[in-house]
Amino acid sequence: MISRALARFASRLRRADIPVAARREAVRSIFNVVGTALAGAGDDGVRRIATTVLPFSGPATSTLIGRAERADCLTAAFLNALAANVFDFDDTHPGTIIHPSAPVAPALFALAGQQRMGGAALIDAFVLGVEVECRLGNAISPGHYERGWHITATCGVFGAAAACGMILGLDEEQMLWALGHASAQSSGLVETLGTMAKSVGVGHAGRGGLLAALLAAQGVRGPEAPIEGERGFFRVMGIPVDTARVVDGLGESWEITRNTYKPYPCGIVLNPVVDACLALREEHAPAAQDIACVTVHGHPLLRQRADRPQPDSGRQAQVSAQHAVAVVLLDGRAGISEFSDGRVRAPEVRALAAKVAVAEATGVSVDGALVEIRFASGAVLAHRVEQARGSAARPMTDADLETKFRALAETVWANRDPAPLVDALWSLDAADDAADVIRRAAAER
Amino acid sequence: MISRALARFASRLRRADIPVAARREAVRSIFNVVGTALAGAGDDGVRRIATTVLPFSGPATSTLIGRAERADCLTAAFLNALAANVFDFDDTHPGTIIHPSAPVAPALFALAGQQRMGGAALIDAFVLGVEVECRLGNAISPGHYERGWHITATCGVFGAAAACGMILGLDEEQMLWALGHASAQSSGLVETLGTMAKSVGVGHAGRGGLLAALLAAQGVRGPEAPIEGERGFFRVMGIPVDTARVVDGLGESWEITRNTYKPYPCGIVLNPVVDACLALREEHAPAAQDIACVTVHGHPLLRQRADRPQPDSGRQAQVSAQHAVAVVLLDGRAGISEFSDGRVRAPEVRALAAKVAVAEATGVSVDGALVEIRFASGAVLAHRVEQARGSAARPMTDADLETKFRALAETVWANRDPAPLVDALWSLDAADDAADVIRRAAAER
């Protein structure tokens, strides 16, 4: 009875049931994901997708983050969700590798354009959505992702459905139907990663979850056991499954409190490498022409995922230790523009990247790395990082998140101060109307 | 290189490459599915879904079969696809149990409202779409459906993508991207069958396929190998797989020529039972009150799928031999209204159904059945059917399809002659504009 237990929990959850720490982390997650969506709106692929779907949009009720047009709520959920995740710079739930905010927060903000909701109600619903998607993810991890499911999309559609269902006031039966309609739309393949087809899947998860909740609110019925049924989500898409993880401690522990945020727009394994290079650059400002070679010593996963000597696009550079080392030592930054197509192809970056090698080191955790620079003179500089910024042990502070947000905003708003949006997001809990908050993320007309 | 081989085939297919028999069967399939969509539009669940999504529709370019409103092409693809399949009265590709027309034809007619296409071009694209979805289905059958995938939806999204891609003139690379965007949206669980969540999945397949093609036309890129890649459709969703079946004889044999059409709106295993009861009723007109008991002798699958003594909804009655026997002996018909909630609950139907038993018989094929009526007087009547109407051995004739179509139209058009629509559909190949043809399936304003 997992589906019904989740539906009951989701339909009965009240603000008083949610710990302050969970709601507070929700605000940080929402803050972070609006920033990644804002920068994502400037991506060429995202623009092409918007160009494709906006001619079919209905009544322009809902804000498109980073754009001047508005769209109907389903279209807005689609576009905002995929923009939020396009750079993989959004948040990460460590146990599942779900990017939990991208499908859920955009669906809620989209719905806010259609149906008035206070900021506090949006936060409650967001906590619920993250809880549902991450608990489903917990039950099927790591087998589900390893098989090739893009778990952010496959589980995200359930999270968006539950979150929107809470705003729509679905009762237990309707919430169960919403989960059923989500199950009928759950999709997303790892094969699509590195292409815009990944984004289609993530956008679809946000839109499909909102649609599922709207359908249930209209009395459109679904199956009794979409999650655990004989031909339901778990048995078809989830083997192996630890189903107890969906309901154990439901309402007592909160998945949102485990959420982490990326300091840099690249693969998580590269975080300590970037940290080390930023420190080396700040302390020693080594000149590229004096460098003979650079060796990155790290956990075996670092080499497996990110030993990529010649990336030829920004997307590939996000998982290239060679590029990360070169660009950070040269530019002293690791933001969106340092992982752009243009920067990847710059001769000076390529020249320095060619001097970088990745070695497996024993005794280095996946959150750590040692970067060693050998100069033509024979001199050596090294910096070791034990725990990368953004890891559970060294979480991003509010100030860190704000610095990241401002850098993201800068990529699309060269001459606009993001302060009104920043302030509105931090004050979301007190906002009378969540639509007013997200409206500040629209482009000026 | 299966994905690329399919993309190449799809992007290069020309009318002259398609045999006349395939295009002719396509017209029959399209004729049949417009009829099922027309009746489907009258279903309460379909109406609720329409009520949910129509407020978010964009420019009203595309016909909604059986409705007076129009919708944007994505919304029209969604609603028409799910209406086409809601009663499971549409067509069946025997090797895969795919209902091939429901995702493909509605997506094409929806696109016809957006972009002018001749009837002949629609037929070409339809043949291609069916080819793609059924070949993918062949490669993963029967394991895929048995595991719990609703194959009409999971494969249908690829068929709709290829078909719409042909109309949009996608080149090989773009067609590959369209298949990739389809892969990101491929979904549908058998657990949802018997509920409207199934329809959400089928509607999504039609809409998602059209969206995939539109995105590719705008240059939105996808992966190189969405079908056969390491984490692509086949390995994630398809094991066990006979991949050769996708490309063997591609362009030589045509899946559409294997298509079959249901004479009755119930499970295929019940077709010979209905045939036998219709014959008994016609020849002998047995009075219900004189009947002591009825025994249906059939293939083991008949008992496994349809031995359901007390159905309590039209949906359940579609897989109840007891109901089918009772209602056909009483009413002398087996149409939509004989499998309605109201007829299922009628006392005289329930009373006769209670006298019906299902027995497994050796030597009866799954296309055959023997129905035996024992009277209170001691007299016995029996009728044996070897091959049911609608099976590959006894295909529905054009006249049969037309009778079926008129009966379907009658369920929603009490006072309207469907002849103009019937004629326009049979003449589709000569139509200048496919949108003009489908417009005749709209409700009068």
Side-chain angles (χ1 to χ4, degrees), chain A residues 321-412:
Chain A
Q322 284 83 354
H323 174 79
V325 167
V327 83
V328 173
L329 288 179
L330 286 164
D331 298 356
R333 294 167 34 116
I336 295 286
S337 47
E338 284 71 44
F339 291 88
S340 64
D341 288 350
R343 204 67 194 117
V344 170
R345 289 166 195 154
E348 69 277 19
V349 175
R350 287 192 175 257
L352 184 50
K355 301 179 184 175
V356 180
V358 179
E360 288 187 20
T362 49
V364 179
S365 86
V366 73
D367 286 332
L370 170 71
V371 175
E372 182 189 324
I373 304 177
R374 188 170 297 269
F375 291 89
S377 65
V380 173
L381 277 177
H383 190 96
R384 179 170 186 142
V385 169
E386 296 288 343
Q387 299 281 358
R389 282 180 70 218
S391 65
R394 268 185 74 197
M396 297 272 279
T397 64
D398 289 1
D400 289 340
L401 290 178
E402 196 164 318
T403 302
K404 173 182 173 182
F405 190 102
R406 287 176 181 277
L408 287 166
E410 214 175 84
T411 65
V412 289

Side-chain angles (χ1 to χ4, degrees), chain A residues 282-305:
Chain A
E282 192 166 323
E283 288 167 36
H284 308 284
Q289 70 273 16
D290 299 338
I291 294 175
C293 64
V294 183
T295 309
V296 178
H297 303 269
H299 188 275
L301 267 180
L302 172 66
R303 201 180 62 69
Q304 289 166 33
R305 298 274 170 85

